[in-house]
Amino acid sequence: MTLRLIEKLTTIPLWVHATATVGAFAAFQGVKSVLDKSYAASLHPVDYVTGQTSFNGETIKGYYAVMQDAGTLDAYRTTQIIDFGFLAAMACFGILLATLVARFSHPGSWGRRLGLFAGLAALAGASCDAIENAWSFVMLSDPVGFADWLALPYSGFAVTKFALITAAMLLVLLSLVFLVIGRSLKDSRLG
């Protein structure tokens, strides 16, 4: 059902679709800028990828302790709230870009399918990001005393998020490749 909803985006007027994609990209970049500044202000001791993928409660507690000692843990909590806006912008941009690329391939072709699956992967990645982000608030409720096992699902959702977002980017590229090959060979099954 979700894939059918994503596919409906390929039927809106092209100028609306392209304008929405550009707007979503601008929103994504705007929120990313605010997020990056907030993350830097939190003085989190490692980059966000390292921080999210440790799978180790003691390590994450150590990161939180550094911020707690510096008095910036509230800035980190704010960063996590801003991240919800970032992931929403990321999902919108990912879906719109993927379906914009997909719409140039013939319906039912590999190029179209790959583009639509890219949109689905972007949505799934953003959903995992939302769960991981919400999970961080559970850990932040007791930043240096939370149960160590809480780090496992937190990092699991983060790794899954990164994998799905990477898959979405690769699928968009493959959709473009199939579009070009299909058009070059005049094969509507490819693109």
Side-chain angles (χ1 to χ4, degrees):
M1 178 168 163
T2 305
L3 191 58
R4 276 188 251 142
L5 290 173
I6 290 172
E7 187 172 19
K8 285 199 180 282
L9 289 172
T10 63
T11 64
I12 63 175
L14 178 59
W15 73 271
V16 172
H17 199 163
T19 302
T21 304
V22 170
F25 179 72
F28 170 76
Q29 289 299 321
V31 176
K32 182 180 182 312
S33 175
V34 172
L35 179 66
D36 289 346
K37 288 175 186 166
S38 184
Y39 194 79
S42 76
L43 302 178
H44 196 285
V46 295
D47 64 276
Y48 67 93
V49 175
T50 303
Q52 293 172 359
T53 59
S54 74
F55 287 93
N56 186 295
E58 287 302 317
T59 300
I60 295 172
K61 287 177 198 174
Y63 301 150
Y64 291 170
V66 167
M67 292 182 290
Q68 196 168 42
D69 292 345
T72 60
L73 197 55
D74 283 341
Y76 182 71
R77 285 185 180 98
T78 300
T79 302
Q80 295 300 90
I81 293 168
I82 295 167
D83 194 33
F84 283 112
F86 173 77
L87 66 95
M90 175 184 62
C92 288
F93 173 61
I95 291 167
L96 286 166
L97 178 64
T99 54
L100 183 62
V101 169
R103 77 181 294 146
F104 291 104
S105 289
H106 290 92
S109 68
W110 278 100
R112 174 77 61 111
R113 280 188 228 129
L114 290 167
L116 296 176
F117 280 119
L120 191 60
L123 177 61
S127 298
C128 286
D129 195 1
I131 295 167
E132 168 243 311
N133 207 37
W135 199 269
S136 73
F137 284 103
V138 173
M139 297 186 307
L140 284 166
S141 68
D142 187 5
V144 293
F146 66 83
D148 287 343
W149 69 267
L150 291 171
L152 297 174
Y154 172 73
S155 292
F157 281 110
V159 167
T160 304
K161 163 191 71 176
F162 291 127
L164 286 165
I165 292 167
T166 301
M169 291 186 286
L170 290 173
L171 288 167
V172 166
L173 290 174
L174 284 173
S175 178
L176 282 169
V177 167
F178 274 84
L179 169 64
V180 170
I181 293 171
R183 294 293 168 102
S184 297
L185 299 175
K186 296 183 183 354
D187 187 341
S188 62
R189 293 171 300 159
L190 298 176

